[in-house]
Amino acid sequence: MKRMILFIIFYLATWLCWAQNIEVYFSPNGGCQRAVIAQIRKAAQTIDIAMYYLSSRDIAQALVKARQNNVRIRIVLDQGQEVESASKSGYLVGHGFDVRYHLGFGLMHNKFAIIDGKSLITGSFNWTLTAEERNEENLLIIDDTRTIAKYEKRFDYLWNTSRRDSRDVRGVDAFPAWFCSTYHLFCGK
């Protein structure tokens, strides 16, 4: 009996060491946007973002503040975001961010961010006000290192196969966005 209890204690202790923390949020109005901003504010070194749609002013402003605090931020968006009027891509480019656009023929429909290689934000939640206030969305914040490593590898692939923004830092078109998107060129800087 004593051995059985020791075995159970050992098993539970081992399991708890491997158990990872996962935070779960839902929208509408379930705190998804607040959770994203809180993670951005915690960043000390890096933020890598692969996002289909980024139009949240509050999230964009949190990213600008993080960059001002010397956090290195890389962003890959769907190529439609370069010309979408509600997108914050132009705002971020204007603040000196290196924003890139997916070159594939399908949508770059990923929705994830990696904070300092220690925290993963993922789920169906687009970084938009509509996703926060109206849509049925989900958001997970995961700290599992093996899972994060897989997402880091995918982000590096997306980053290396995407093109730069066609605007320079003054917002002047180096090449028209339609030209870059149509011919899948590395336009811009």
Side-chain angles (χ1 to χ4, degrees):
M1 181 67 160
K2 204 173 195 181
R3 284 185 183 187
M4 178 67 92
I5 292 172
L6 287 174
F7 174 77
I8 291 171
I9 291 171
F10 175 76
Y11 175 77
L12 289 175
T14 303
W15 181 79
L16 288 173
C17 288
W18 290 102
Q20 302 297 320
N21 184 38
I22 299 176
E23 297 174 38
V24 180
Y25 300 88
F26 296 99
S27 66
N29 299 314
C32 293
Q33 181 168 280
R34 276 192 315 273
V36 169
I37 291 170
Q39 289 296 311
I40 291 169
R41 288 180 179 156
K42 288 181 186 178
Q45 298 174 340
T46 62
I47 302 174
D48 289 335
I49 301 166
M51 188 59 49
Y52 170 65
Y53 205 102
L54 197 167
S55 65
S56 167
R57 180 183 62 166
D58 293 341
I59 292 174
Q61 289 174 341
L63 290 169
V64 169
K65 285 181 183 177
R67 189 171 185 281
Q68 290 168 346
N69 291 329
N70 297 315
V71 175
R72 183 180 59 95
I73 302 171
R74 301 183 299 169
I75 303 171
V76 176
L77 299 173
D78 183 70
Q79 60 185 332
Q81 291 296 288
E82 188 173 20
V83 295
E84 171 62 45
S85 62
S87 173
K88 294 301 177 200
S89 65
Y91 171 80
L92 294 170
V93 168
H95 280 85
F97 283 75
D98 191 357
V99 177
R100 296 192 181 182
Y101 301 96
H102 176 64
L103 289 173
F105 290 102
L107 296 175
M108 198 295 299
H109 212 248
N110 286 290
K111 299 163 187 95
F112 70 86
I114 304 160
I115 311 293
D116 292 333
K118 298 177 185 175
S119 182
L120 170 67
I121 304 168
T122 191
S124 67
F125 185 74
N126 279 303
W127 292 5
T128 69
L129 190 59
T130 302
E132 176 63 18
E133 295 181 349
R134 291 190 224 153
N135 294 349
E136 288 289 339
E137 306 271 358
N138 68 80
L139 181 84
L140 300 172
I141 300 174
I142 302 168
D143 69 2
D144 178 68
T145 55
R146 290 180 290 173
T147 302
I148 292 168
K150 291 177 184 178
Y151 275 84
E152 286 176 324
K153 183 176 180 180
R154 188 61 181 180
F155 181 84
D156 287 340
Y157 165 79
L158 292 169
W159 181 257
N160 291 324
T161 59
S162 296
R163 66 168 173 77
R164 292 179 183 260
D165 192 281
S166 66
R167 298 164 287 211
D168 67 16
V169 293
R170 296 179 308 271
V172 177
D173 285 343
F175 292 96
W178 64 266
F179 182 84
C180 299
S181 296
T182 303
Y183 297 104
H184 301 287
L185 299 173
F186 285 92
C187 297
K189 306 171 216 147

